[in-house]
Amino acid sequence: LMNAAVAQGVEPAQVAQHCDSVSLCFSKICLSPCGAVLAGCREFVTEAWPVRKQLPKGMWQAGVLAAAAHLGLQCTEVTLHRDRNNAQRLAEGIHVLDSPLWTISLAAVGTNTVMVDVQKAWTSLLELCNRLCAINEEEVAETGQAVSVLLLPWSAWTVCTVWHCNTSALDTELARRKLEFMARKCQE
Protein backbone atom coordinates (compact mmCIF):
# COMPACT_ATOMS: atom_id res chain seq x y z
CA LEU A 1 0.00 0.00 0.00
CA MET A 2 2.65 2.51 1.00
CA ASN A 3 4.92 1.71 -1.96
CA ALA A 4 1.98 1.87 -4.37
CA ALA A 5 0.98 5.28 -2.98
CA VAL A 6 4.53 6.62 -3.38
CA ALA A 7 4.78 5.24 -6.92
CA GLN A 8 1.50 6.93 -7.88
CA GLY A 9 2.26 10.15 -6.03
CA VAL A 10 -0.95 9.97 -4.00
CA GLU A 11 -1.88 9.62 -0.36
CA PRO A 12 -2.25 6.01 0.92
CA ALA A 13 -5.92 6.73 1.65
CA GLN A 14 -6.53 7.23 -2.06
CA VAL A 15 -5.24 3.73 -2.81
CA ALA A 16 -6.97 2.18 0.23
CA GLN A 17 -10.37 3.60 -0.71
CA HIS A 18 -10.76 0.61 -3.03
CA CYS A 19 -10.20 -1.92 -0.22
CA ASP A 20 -12.48 -3.41 2.43
CA SER A 21 -9.59 -3.72 4.86
CA VAL A 22 -5.93 -2.74 5.09
CA SER A 23 -3.09 -4.17 7.15
CA LEU A 24 0.31 -2.52 7.44
CA CYS A 25 3.35 -4.24 8.90
CA PHE A 26 5.49 -1.62 10.64
CA SER A 27 8.68 -3.69 10.45
CA LYS A 28 8.46 -3.63 6.65
CA ILE A 29 7.66 0.02 6.11
CA CYS A 30 9.37 1.89 8.92
CA LEU A 31 12.05 -0.22 10.64
CA SER A 32 9.97 -0.86 13.73
CA PRO A 33 11.00 -4.06 15.54
CA CYS A 34 7.45 -5.38 15.16
CA GLY A 35 3.84 -4.34 15.06
CA ALA A 36 1.07 -3.85 12.59
CA VAL A 37 -2.18 -2.00 12.20
CA LEU A 38 -5.45 -3.33 10.82
CA ALA A 39 -8.11 -1.00 9.46
CA GLY A 40 -11.53 -1.53 7.98
CA CYS A 41 -15.18 -0.86 8.59
CA ARG A 42 -16.45 -0.87 12.19
CA GLU A 43 -18.03 -4.33 11.83
CA PHE A 44 -14.79 -5.83 10.49
CA VAL A 45 -12.64 -4.35 13.25
CA THR A 46 -15.20 -5.40 15.89
CA GLU A 47 -14.99 -8.97 14.59
CA ALA A 48 -11.17 -8.92 14.35
CA TRP A 49 -10.56 -7.41 17.80
CA PRO A 50 -11.28 -10.58 19.86
CA VAL A 51 -9.09 -12.66 17.52
CA ARG A 52 -5.99 -10.82 18.72
CA LYS A 53 -6.74 -12.05 22.26
CA GLN A 54 -6.67 -15.63 20.96
CA LEU A 55 -3.12 -15.24 19.70
CA PRO A 56 -0.32 -16.34 22.03
CA LYS A 57 0.80 -13.91 24.73
CA GLY A 58 -0.04 -10.34 24.01
CA MET A 59 2.65 -7.70 24.32
CA TRP A 60 2.47 -6.05 27.72
CA GLN A 61 4.92 -3.29 26.85
CA ALA A 62 3.43 -2.52 23.46
CA GLY A 63 3.77 1.23 24.04
CA VAL A 64 7.55 1.04 23.62
CA LEU A 65 7.11 -0.73 20.29
CA ALA A 66 4.38 1.70 19.28
CA ALA A 67 6.81 4.55 19.90
CA ALA A 68 9.34 2.92 17.55
CA ALA A 69 6.65 2.55 14.87
CA HIS A 70 5.52 6.14 15.38
CA LEU A 71 9.09 7.41 14.98
CA GLY A 72 9.64 5.26 11.91
CA LEU A 73 6.42 6.43 10.28
CA GLN A 74 7.69 10.00 10.43
CA CYS A 75 10.42 9.21 7.87
CA THR A 76 8.60 6.53 5.87
CA GLU A 77 7.82 8.67 2.86
CA VAL A 78 11.48 9.64 2.40
CA THR A 79 12.58 6.02 2.82
CA LEU A 80 10.02 4.68 0.36
CA HIS A 81 11.02 7.27 -2.25
CA ARG A 82 14.68 6.32 -1.78
CA ASP A 83 13.88 2.60 -2.13
CA ARG A 84 11.91 3.28 -5.31
CA ASN A 85 14.73 5.39 -6.77
CA ASN A 86 17.29 2.67 -5.98
CA ALA A 87 15.10 0.05 -7.66
CA GLN A 88 14.80 2.25 -10.74
CA ARG A 89 18.60 2.76 -10.81
CA LEU A 90 19.23 -0.97 -10.83
CA ALA A 91 16.57 -1.55 -13.50
CA GLU A 92 18.15 1.13 -15.69
CA GLY A 93 21.60 -0.39 -15.06
CA ILE A 94 20.38 -3.83 -16.14
CA HIS A 95 18.68 -2.33 -19.19
CA VAL A 96 21.85 -0.47 -20.26
CA LEU A 97 23.89 -3.68 -20.01
CA ASP A 98 21.82 -4.97 -22.95
CA SER A 99 22.85 -8.50 -21.99
CA PRO A 100 21.38 -11.50 -23.80
CA LEU A 101 21.16 -13.17 -20.37
CA TRP A 102 18.25 -11.15 -19.02
CA THR A 103 15.68 -8.54 -19.95
CA ILE A 104 13.76 -5.99 -17.99
CA SER A 105 10.77 -3.77 -18.63
CA LEU A 106 11.60 -0.29 -17.33
CA ALA A 107 7.93 0.67 -17.60
CA ALA A 108 7.05 -2.10 -15.14
CA VAL A 109 9.25 -0.65 -12.37
CA GLY A 110 6.96 1.51 -10.29
CA THR A 111 7.74 0.65 -6.69
CA ASN A 112 10.64 -0.86 -4.75
CA THR A 113 10.39 -4.13 -6.67
CA VAL A 114 12.14 -5.08 -9.91
CA MET A 115 11.28 -8.20 -11.90
CA VAL A 116 14.05 -9.51 -14.18
CA ASP A 117 13.27 -12.00 -16.94
CA VAL A 118 16.12 -14.47 -17.29
CA GLN A 119 16.81 -16.06 -20.66
CA LYS A 120 16.92 -19.82 -20.84
CA ALA A 121 20.69 -19.75 -21.46
CA TRP A 122 21.03 -20.71 -17.80
CA THR A 123 20.76 -24.31 -16.70
CA SER A 124 18.29 -23.15 -14.08
CA LEU A 125 17.14 -20.04 -12.30
CA LEU A 126 18.48 -21.51 -9.07
CA GLU A 127 21.96 -21.68 -10.65
CA LEU A 128 21.79 -17.96 -11.48
CA CYS A 129 20.63 -17.08 -7.97
CA ASN A 130 23.40 -19.20 -6.43
CA ARG A 131 26.08 -17.60 -8.64
CA LEU A 132 24.91 -14.08 -7.78
CA CYS A 133 24.92 -14.94 -4.08
CA ALA A 134 28.38 -16.56 -4.22
CA ILE A 135 31.61 -14.60 -4.10
CA ASN A 136 34.61 -15.80 -6.13
CA GLU A 137 38.23 -14.71 -6.10
CA GLU A 138 38.23 -13.58 -9.74
CA GLU A 139 35.35 -11.19 -9.07
CA VAL A 140 37.07 -9.72 -6.01
CA ALA A 141 40.37 -9.35 -7.91
CA GLU A 142 38.69 -7.62 -10.85
CA THR A 143 36.14 -5.43 -9.04
CA GLY A 144 37.83 -4.95 -5.68
CA GLN A 145 34.55 -5.86 -3.98
CA ALA A 146 33.07 -8.97 -2.45
CA VAL A 147 29.36 -8.64 -3.23
CA SER A 148 26.58 -11.13 -2.62
CA VAL A 149 23.29 -10.40 -4.39
CA LEU A 150 20.21 -12.20 -3.11
CA LEU A 151 17.47 -12.73 -5.68
CA LEU A 152 14.14 -14.46 -5.21
CA PRO A 153 13.10 -16.91 -7.95
CA TRP A 154 9.61 -15.64 -8.74
CA SER A 155 8.51 -17.93 -11.57
CA ALA A 156 10.11 -20.39 -13.95
CA TRP A 157 12.38 -17.72 -15.54
CA THR A 158 11.81 -14.54 -13.53
CA VAL A 159 13.64 -13.27 -10.46
CA CYS A 160 12.45 -10.58 -8.09
CA THR A 161 14.58 -7.95 -6.38
CA VAL A 162 13.20 -5.86 -3.53
CA TRP A 163 14.64 -2.76 -1.87
CA HIS A 164 14.07 -1.95 1.78
CA CYS A 165 15.18 0.64 4.30
CA ASN A 166 18.57 -1.04 4.82
CA THR A 167 19.52 -1.04 1.12
CA SER A 168 21.58 1.99 0.15
CA ALA A 169 22.45 3.61 -3.17
CA LEU A 170 25.93 2.10 -2.78
CA ASP A 171 24.42 -1.38 -2.29
CA THR A 172 22.40 -0.83 -5.45
CA GLU A 173 25.48 0.20 -7.43
CA LEU A 174 27.44 -2.82 -6.14
CA ALA A 175 24.59 -5.14 -7.20
CA ARG A 176 24.60 -3.54 -10.67
CA ARG A 177 28.37 -4.06 -10.95
CA LYS A 178 27.99 -7.69 -9.90
CA LEU A 179 25.39 -8.25 -12.63
CA GLU A 180 27.67 -6.51 -15.14
CA PHE A 181 30.61 -8.71 -14.10
CA MET A 182 28.51 -11.85 -14.42
CA ALA A 183 27.13 -10.86 -17.81
CA ARG A 184 30.62 -10.19 -19.11
CA LYS A 185 31.99 -13.50 -17.79
CA CYS A 186 29.09 -15.47 -19.21
CA GLN A 187 29.52 -13.91 -22.64
CA GLU A 188 33.25 -14.73 -22.61
Side-chain angles (χ1 to χ4, degrees), residues 64-141:
V64 173
L65 296 174
H70 178 70
L71 184 63
L73 283 171
Q74 292 174 3
C75 61
T76 296
E77 187 172 352
V78 171
T79 303
L80 294 177
H81 278 287
R82 187 199 65 221
D83 294 345
R84 179 174 183 256
N85 290 339
N86 283 335
Q88 287 177 327
R89 273 192 215 104
L90 183 72
E92 289 165 1
I94 292 171
H95 183 73
V96 168
L97 287 176
D98 197 29
S99 172
L101 300 175
W102 41 65
T103 59
I104 192 162
S105 168
L106 291 178
V109 181
T111 65
N112 65 326
T113 303
V114 176
M115 305 300 268
V116 180
D117 294 319
V118 178
Q119 302 309 306
K120 294 184 172 94
W122 291 97
T123 308
S124 73
L125 203 56
L126 188 57
E127 176 197 354
L128 170 65
C129 292
N130 287 339
R131 287 182 69 180
L132 283 168
C133 187
I135 298 167
N136 67 51
E137 292 175 21
E138 182 182 10
E139 171 193 354
V140 175

